[in-house]
Amino acid sequence: MKFLIDNYSDHQQSQPLYLNQAFQKMGYTSGIFDISASSIFDVCDTFDPDIIFLSAARMSRDLVAYLLQSKKIELIVNIDNMSKDNLKQLTAFLKGNNVKVKFLITSNYSMPEKTDGFRIVKIMQAADINQITELHFDYHVEKALVVDKLSTKIGFPCSFHVLSTDPELKGKVDINMSAIALRSLLPKYDEVVFENLRGINQLFLNSIYSGVRTYYSNSEVKNDNDIKNTINKMYGKEMILDYNNKDRLRDFSEISEMTKNKHSGFNRAKSVVSQIKGA
């Protein structure tokens, strides 16, 4: 089976990159391309894929035109961050053009199992543990606070940096980089605290994987128990990662190893393949 994956990576996630690496390690032929900068006709004629993996936001009419003349290619479409209205428009578009879809995927576990006849597969975000670059400089700071918006309450009675993956905060925080780039910095801190974590994201998992004490502090999140319950379900036992809980986890050796073994990009790729009949 041959996978062709559009590189829909952004500042928060690198799913296409870690899936591509994992599929290759599993023995499949897999390649990355940029649908916004490449001729879909040239790429598909050359690569001859069985499955094209892409984000719904990057669906193109050229791709649909090519699929209409192909008898074998099927799509796997990532629908993360889509509104209900946009999802309806997408499924209507796919149906109206007779596009063959293997299934839709999302990290949103509140989504239904099916929508408009299309199967939805839930795939949680993962730690991207491939090719983490070693830094050629060194520093040590006690805490890192990861934010997605500025707050006047930011502060610790110790040395700390404010980090963000949101490009709109560039120049407003100490360090602004993509999640895949920030991986290299995480071991420079004793603790990493995610302020108002609304869902388990890639950087949070990468921080746990690094072995650094990693927590969330959700003073502004209404359904704080959702994060707690999700974490406990992921790891099969109670893992207290709430920074404001005096009994919070201190030794991250076990949870780091569990993240490597159960919540890496390779694990997510295996989950994808398990949903493909005959793969």
Side-chain angles (χ1 to χ4, degrees):
M1 181 167 289
K2 299 173 74 173
F3 294 94
L4 182 60
I5 307 173
D6 171 46
N7 188 7
Y8 54 87
S9 301
D10 56 30
H11 280 78
Q12 280 72 45
Q13 56 82 32
S14 54
Q15 185 181 73
L17 303 181
Y18 63 67
L19 288 179
N20 180 58
Q21 291 239 345
F23 289 148
Q24 291 176 356
K25 287 179 182 177
M26 294 167 72
Y28 298 105
T29 301
S30 184
I32 284 276
F33 80 115
D34 184 348
I35 199 170
S36 66
S38 307
S39 164
I40 191 70
F41 285 82
D42 290 344
V43 172
C44 288
D45 284 347
T46 301
F47 195 83
D48 190 29
D50 298 298
I51 290 176
I52 295 178
F53 213 120
L54 82 162
S55 165
R58 289 166 63 90
M59 186 78 63
S60 72
R61 292 196 176 277
D62 283 348
L63 172 60
V64 173
Y66 189 88
L67 294 175
L68 289 176
Q69 70 178 33
S70 170
K71 294 182 179 180
K72 73 165 188 172
I73 299 177
E74 294 182 281
L75 297 185
I76 296 176
V77 184
N78 183 305
I79 57 171
D80 275 343
N81 305 314
M82 290 197 82
S83 67
K84 289 183 179 179
D85 287 343
N86 286 340
L87 181 56
K88 282 187 177 182
Q89 291 175 18
L90 172 69
T91 55
F93 176 78
L94 295 171
K95 276 187 173 181
N97 287 280
N98 297 314
V99 175
K100 289 177 281 187
V101 177
K102 206 74 167 169
F103 47 79
L104 311 175
I105 69 164
T106 182
S107 59
N108 181 357
Y109 275 65
S110 68
M111 294 283 285
E113 300 298 321
K114 271 191 172 185
T115 182
D116 296 332
F118 293 94
R119 186 160 59 106
I120 298 178
V121 174
K122 318 293 176 53
I123 303 289
M124 189 171 285
Q125 293 198 28
D128 187 341
I129 64 176
N130 297 307
Q131 300 173 338
I132 300 178
T133 305
E134 291 186 12
L135 296 177
H136 297 296
F137 61 93
D138 199 15
Y139 68 86
H140 172 258
V141 175
E142 290 177 73
K143 293 185 190 294
L145 182 65
V146 182
V147 303
D148 58 12
K149 68 176 183 178
L150 293 181
S151 170
T152 57
K153 298 179 182 178
I154 289 175
F156 292 104
C158 62
S159 62
F160 70 94
H161 281 162
V162 181
L163 316 181
S164 181
T165 59
D166 188 342
E168 292 188 5
L169 295 184
K170 187 175 183 179
K172 300 176 182 178
V173 294
D174 295 309
I175 300 174
N176 181 261
M177 300 168 70
S178 66
I180 196 171
L182 276 175
R183 299 177 305 170
S184 300
L185 301 184
L186 298 172
K188 307 302 179 186
Y189 302 93
D190 294 332
E191 294 183 339
V192 178
V193 181
F194 287 73
E195 185 177 71
N196 297 316
L197 184 70
R198 289 170 172 78
I200 306 302
N201 61 43
Q202 181 173 310
L203 186 61
F204 186 73
L205 291 171
N206 261 110
S207 187
I208 293 173
Y209 165 75
S210 74
V212 173
R213 296 193 298 273
T214 301
Y215 306 107
Y216 62 89
S217 179
N218 282 0
S219 59
E220 297 179 15
V221 177
K222 291 182 179 179
N223 296 320
D224 186 41
N225 279 334
D226 289 350
I227 294 292
K228 175 184 174 181
N229 294 336
T230 299
I231 290 170
N232 292 343
K233 186 176 181 179
M234 286 174 64
Y235 292 101
K237 61 189 296 186
E238 186 176 33
M239 294 288 188
I240 302 175
L241 302 185
D242 183 349
Y243 182 74
N244 302 302
N245 189 321
K246 63 180 178 62
D247 297 320
R248 63 185 181 270
L249 188 68
R250 308 286 180 173
D251 182 353
F252 274 69
S253 54
E254 180 186 18
I255 194 172
S256 172
E257 190 66 18
M258 291 173 74
T259 302
K260 176 183 177 181
N261 294 333
K262 295 184 178 181
H263 301 294
S264 71
F266 188 79
N267 300 106
R268 302 301 184 253
K270 288 198 296 185
S271 295
V272 170
V273 169
S274 72
Q275 299 295 319
I276 302 173
K277 188 176 180 180

